[in-house]
Every structure is written in structure tokens, then in C-alpha cells.
Amino acid sequence: SQVDEALALAVFRQRDRILGERRTHLAHNLQLTGNWVARHAAHVEWVRPDAGALCCVRLKREVFDAAAVERFYAALARRSTRVAPGAWFGDEPRVFRLGFGLLPPEEPAMALECVSSALTEAAQAGT
């Protein structure tokens, strides 16, 4: 429709500003996520994305047996924190996708702290 075309044109004319803001937001959140993974290197490993707004994280096998993986997801649920479990996309339960691009600027750090707490709780409960 003409309205759709007019809206698309308005967005297209502002693409540098819009894309610039998104790049800055994604770069910041990717750095935050990378720092989080580094702090939790004893518990997780990841594939650092070259682009996009999500990454795959794997709970380390030597720390998380099947019961610990279940405890991890249960601990996330108690904290109202969601990740995409590996089973959703044909991978093992130890893998999860972590989105870092959509949340408003003040929320990614809080969300990662919830995941940190779930990691610690799940890993310690088995010891």
C-alpha cells in the first residue's frame, strides 16, 4: 500500500542513524556477554557470534551432568529468566541460545546476573 511505501521510505532515509544506533547497542551487549562468559569460563563455553543478536552457550560437561542441566533450567524459571534450550533447535540440552540484542540498555546486565545465579545454584547443588 502507499502507506507502507511511505513508511519504508521514511525509515530508509534514516537508515544511517537507525543502523548506527543498533550497531552501538549490539556491540555494547556483545561485549557485556563476552565479559560474562569470561567470568563464568569454569561453567560455560560459547561460540562468539560474528553478527546478529544471539549466541550459543554450552554448559560444560565436567560441571553439568544431566541432573545439573535440569536444575539450571529450573533455576532460570524460578528467576523468570528465559533462554532458548538446545532441544528447541535440535541440539543437546546442555546448549542454550542467549539473546543479547533485544533487551533495553538497562536489562541485559540484570538478565545475565540471573543466569549467573542459576549457573551457580545448579552447579553447587550437585556437589
Side-chain angles (χ1 to χ4, degrees):
S1 74
Q2 290 179 339
V3 171
D4 291 335
E5 289 177 8
L7 290 172
L9 187 57
V11 169
F12 185 72
R13 287 182 177 142
Q14 298 181 53
R15 72 182 176 276
D16 291 337
R17 181 186 60 79
I18 292 169
L19 291 176
E21 290 171 3
R22 291 301 303 154
R23 282 189 188 108
T24 300
H25 179 73
L26 287 172
H28 175 264
N29 287 352
L30 177 59
Q31 181 66 45
L32 185 72
T33 304
N35 292 343
W36 179 85
V37 169
R39 282 194 326 271
H40 295 285
H43 293 113
V44 300
E45 54 195 4
W46 75 325
V47 176
R48 186 184 188 284
D50 292 329
L54 60 85
C55 61
C56 286
V57 179
R58 178 178 289 117
L59 301 172
K60 289 194 171 180
R61 187 173 306 279
E62 57 272 16
V63 180
F64 292 89
D65 60 12
V69 171
E70 288 182 29
R71 288 192 304 268
F72 170 69
Y73 288 114
L76 285 175
R78 284 192 299 279
R79 290 165 174 78
S80 299
T81 304
R82 293 177 292 195
V83 297
W88 288 6
F89 49 91
D91 211 328
E92 64 176 309
R94 199 170 267 103
V95 174
F96 62 93
R97 286 184 184 171
L98 181 67
F100 57 84
L102 262 171
L103 295 174
E106 63 279 359
E107 292 183 24
M110 292 183 324
L112 287 171
E113 285 311 309
C114 289
V115 179
S116 294
S117 297
L119 281 173
T120 303
E121 179 183 325
Q124 288 178 348
T127 57

